[in-house]
Short mmCIF file of all heavy atoms in Angstrom, two decimals:
data_model
loop_
_atom_site.label_atom_id
_atom_site.label_comp_id
_atom_site.label_asym_id
_atom_site.label_seq_id
_atom_site.Cartn_x
_atom_site.Cartn_y
_atom_site.Cartn_z
N LYS A 49 -18.05 14.75 4.74
CA LYS A 49 -17.75 15.41 3.47
C LYS A 49 -18.77 14.96 2.43
O LYS A 49 -19.19 13.81 2.40
CB LYS A 49 -16.35 15.04 2.99
CG LYS A 49 -15.24 15.69 3.79
CD LYS A 49 -13.90 15.35 3.19
CE LYS A 49 -12.78 15.98 3.99
NZ LYS A 49 -11.46 15.63 3.44
N GLU A 50 -19.16 15.91 1.58
CA GLU A 50 -20.00 15.59 0.44
C GLU A 50 -19.68 16.54 -0.70
O GLU A 50 -19.02 17.57 -0.49
CB GLU A 50 -21.48 15.58 0.81
CG GLU A 50 -22.18 16.89 0.84
CD GLU A 50 -23.69 16.72 1.12
OE1 GLU A 50 -24.12 15.75 1.76
OE2 GLU A 50 -24.42 17.62 0.69
N LEU A 51 -20.11 16.18 -1.88
CA LEU A 51 -19.90 17.02 -3.06
C LEU A 51 -21.17 17.79 -3.37
O LEU A 51 -22.27 17.26 -3.26
CB LEU A 51 -19.54 16.17 -4.28
CG LEU A 51 -18.24 15.37 -4.23
CD1 LEU A 51 -18.06 14.59 -5.52
CD2 LEU A 51 -17.06 16.29 -4.01
N GLU A 52 -20.98 19.04 -3.76
CA GLU A 52 -22.06 19.84 -4.32
C GLU A 52 -21.71 20.03 -5.79
O GLU A 52 -20.69 20.63 -6.11
CB GLU A 52 -22.19 21.19 -3.61
CG GLU A 52 -22.69 21.07 -2.20
CD GLU A 52 -22.86 22.41 -1.50
OE1 GLU A 52 -22.36 23.44 -2.02
OE2 GLU A 52 -23.49 22.43 -0.43
N VAL A 53 -22.55 19.50 -6.67
CA VAL A 53 -22.24 19.41 -8.09
C VAL A 53 -23.34 20.07 -8.91
O VAL A 53 -24.52 19.89 -8.64
CB VAL A 53 -22.12 17.92 -8.52
CG1 VAL A 53 -21.86 17.79 -10.00
CG2 VAL A 53 -21.04 17.22 -7.71
N ILE A 54 -22.93 20.84 -9.92
CA ILE A 54 -23.85 21.34 -10.93
C ILE A 54 -23.39 20.73 -12.25
O ILE A 54 -22.26 20.96 -12.69
CB ILE A 54 -23.88 22.87 -11.01
CG1 ILE A 54 -24.32 23.46 -9.67
CG2 ILE A 54 -24.82 23.33 -12.13
CD1 ILE A 54 -24.27 24.96 -9.59
N LEU A 55 -24.27 19.92 -12.84
CA LEU A 55 -23.94 19.20 -14.06
C LEU A 55 -24.21 20.00 -15.32
O LEU A 55 -25.12 20.83 -15.35
CB LEU A 55 -24.76 17.91 -14.14
CG LEU A 55 -24.49 16.87 -13.06
CD1 LEU A 55 -25.53 15.76 -13.14
CD2 LEU A 55 -23.09 16.29 -13.22
N LEU A 56 -23.44 19.71 -16.33
CA LEU A 56 -23.62 20.20 -17.69
C LEU A 56 -23.35 21.70 -17.81
O LEU A 56 -22.92 22.35 -16.86
CB LEU A 56 -24.99 19.83 -18.23
CG LEU A 56 -25.34 18.33 -18.10
CD1 LEU A 56 -26.75 18.07 -18.58
CD2 LEU A 56 -24.33 17.48 -18.84
N ASP A 57 -23.58 22.21 -18.98
CA ASP A 57 -23.28 23.59 -19.32
C ASP A 57 -24.58 24.35 -19.53
O ASP A 57 -25.55 23.77 -20.03
CB ASP A 57 -22.46 23.61 -20.62
CG ASP A 57 -21.47 24.73 -20.66
OD1 ASP A 57 -20.57 24.78 -19.81
OD2 ASP A 57 -21.61 25.58 -21.56
N PRO A 58 -24.65 25.63 -19.21
CA PRO A 58 -25.90 26.38 -19.40
C PRO A 58 -26.43 26.33 -20.84
O PRO A 58 -27.63 26.45 -21.05
CB PRO A 58 -25.52 27.82 -19.01
CG PRO A 58 -24.42 27.65 -18.02
CD PRO A 58 -23.64 26.44 -18.50
N GLU A 59 -25.55 26.11 -21.82
CA GLU A 59 -26.01 26.03 -23.21
C GLU A 59 -26.68 24.69 -23.53
O GLU A 59 -27.35 24.56 -24.55
CB GLU A 59 -24.85 26.24 -24.20
CG GLU A 59 -24.36 27.68 -24.27
CD GLU A 59 -23.32 27.99 -23.20
OE1 GLU A 59 -22.47 27.12 -22.92
OE2 GLU A 59 -23.37 29.10 -22.63
N ASP A 60 -26.49 23.69 -22.67
CA ASP A 60 -27.07 22.37 -22.91
C ASP A 60 -28.56 22.38 -22.57
O ASP A 60 -28.96 22.94 -21.55
CB ASP A 60 -26.35 21.32 -22.05
CG ASP A 60 -26.70 19.91 -22.45
OD1 ASP A 60 -27.88 19.52 -22.27
OD2 ASP A 60 -25.82 19.19 -22.93
N ASP A 61 -29.37 21.76 -23.42
CA ASP A 61 -30.83 21.70 -23.20
C ASP A 61 -31.20 21.04 -21.88
O ASP A 61 -32.25 21.32 -21.32
CB ASP A 61 -31.51 20.93 -24.34
CG ASP A 61 -31.43 21.65 -25.66
OD1 ASP A 61 -31.14 22.87 -25.67
OD2 ASP A 61 -31.63 20.99 -26.70
N ARG A 62 -30.35 20.17 -21.39
CA ARG A 62 -30.65 19.42 -20.17
C ARG A 62 -30.11 20.10 -18.90
O ARG A 62 -30.29 19.60 -17.81
CB ARG A 62 -30.10 18.00 -20.28
CG ARG A 62 -30.95 17.17 -21.24
CD ARG A 62 -30.16 16.11 -21.92
NE ARG A 62 -30.95 15.45 -22.93
CZ ARG A 62 -31.12 15.89 -24.16
NH1 ARG A 62 -30.57 17.01 -24.56
NH2 ARG A 62 -31.85 15.22 -25.04
N TYR A 63 -29.48 21.23 -19.05
CA TYR A 63 -28.93 21.98 -17.91
C TYR A 63 -30.08 22.52 -17.06
O TYR A 63 -31.03 23.10 -17.58
CB TYR A 63 -28.08 23.14 -18.42
CG TYR A 63 -27.53 24.02 -17.32
CD1 TYR A 63 -26.41 23.65 -16.61
CD2 TYR A 63 -28.13 25.24 -17.02
CE1 TYR A 63 -25.89 24.46 -15.61
CE2 TYR A 63 -27.62 26.06 -16.03
CZ TYR A 63 -26.50 25.67 -15.33
OH TYR A 63 -25.99 26.47 -14.34
N THR A 64 -29.97 22.30 -15.74
CA THR A 64 -31.00 22.83 -14.83
C THR A 64 -30.43 23.87 -13.88
O THR A 64 -31.19 24.66 -13.32
CB THR A 64 -31.62 21.70 -13.97
OG1 THR A 64 -30.59 21.16 -13.13
CG2 THR A 64 -32.24 20.61 -14.84
N GLY A 65 -29.13 23.85 -13.66
CA GLY A 65 -28.52 24.76 -12.69
C GLY A 65 -28.70 24.30 -11.25
O GLY A 65 -28.22 24.94 -10.33
N LYS A 66 -29.40 23.17 -11.06
CA LYS A 66 -29.64 22.65 -9.72
C LYS A 66 -28.38 22.00 -9.16
O LYS A 66 -27.65 21.33 -9.87
CB LYS A 66 -30.77 21.63 -9.73
CG LYS A 66 -32.12 22.23 -10.05
CD LYS A 66 -33.18 21.17 -10.00
CE LYS A 66 -34.54 21.77 -10.37
NZ LYS A 66 -35.56 20.73 -10.48
N THR A 67 -28.19 22.18 -7.86
CA THR A 67 -27.08 21.54 -7.17
C THR A 67 -27.50 20.14 -6.75
O THR A 67 -28.56 19.94 -6.17
CB THR A 67 -26.67 22.35 -5.92
OG1 THR A 67 -26.25 23.65 -6.35
CG2 THR A 67 -25.54 21.68 -5.17
#
Side-chain angles (χ1 to χ4, degrees):
K49 288 184 180 178
E50 82 176 27
L51 297 179
E52 290 182 347
V53 177
I54 300 175
L55 295 171
L56 308 176
D57 213 62
E59 287 86 38
D60 192 294
D61 293 343
R62 287 150 186 85
Y63 177 80
T64 64
K66 292 182 182 174
T67 299

